[in-house]
Amino acid sequence: YKQEGYWAIERICVKGQQQRQGLSHKVLDVVLDYFDESGKKCYVNVTKIETVAIFEQYDFKIEETIKIPELDTSIFIMTY
């Protein structure tokens, strides 16, 4: 998903022992503050349905769902 004026959020990763401490939310807060202040738009490709709910909390919307039957998965393209 690439549209004029959209920036991509590639990955937010937290090591196993550091997970469940709100670190990814802290990073996302800073990144989205930047987008809000600068007027820029962004998108993220999500592969886990559980992760969709996290981004929906930040007002991301699913723009497109790409099904990959060979891998029994989908990619959810979400914009902010």
Side-chain angles (χ1 to χ4, degrees), residues 1 9 12 15 24-25 28 34 38 48-49 58 72 76:
Y1 186 82
I9 297 176
I12 299 175
K15 279 187 156 185
S24 62
H25 286 279
L28 198 51
Y34 167 77
S38 65
K48 294 181 181 176
I49 192 67
Y58 287 92
D72 192 31
F76 304 94

Side-chain angles (χ1 to χ4, degrees), residues 15-68:
K15 279 187 156 185
Q17 65 268 29
Q18 302 297 318
Q19 291 179 354
R20 317 284 306 152
Q21 297 179 29
L23 297 175
S24 62
H25 286 279
K26 289 179 183 179
V27 169
L28 198 51
D29 285 340
V30 171
V31 170
L32 294 180
D33 282 348
Y34 167 77
F35 285 115
D36 287 339
E37 290 170 10
S38 65
K40 297 183 186 307
K41 299 177 274 186
C42 65
Y43 72 94
V44 63
N45 296 331
V46 176
T47 56
K48 294 181 181 176
I49 192 67
E50 305 83 27
T51 308
V52 167
I54 293 170
F55 283 97
E56 285 177 332
Q57 291 174 8
Y58 287 92
D59 294 326
F60 278 78
K61 306 285 185 236
I62 296 174
E63 296 291 336
E64 185 177 348
T65 301
I66 301 170
K67 296 187 184 295
I68 306 172

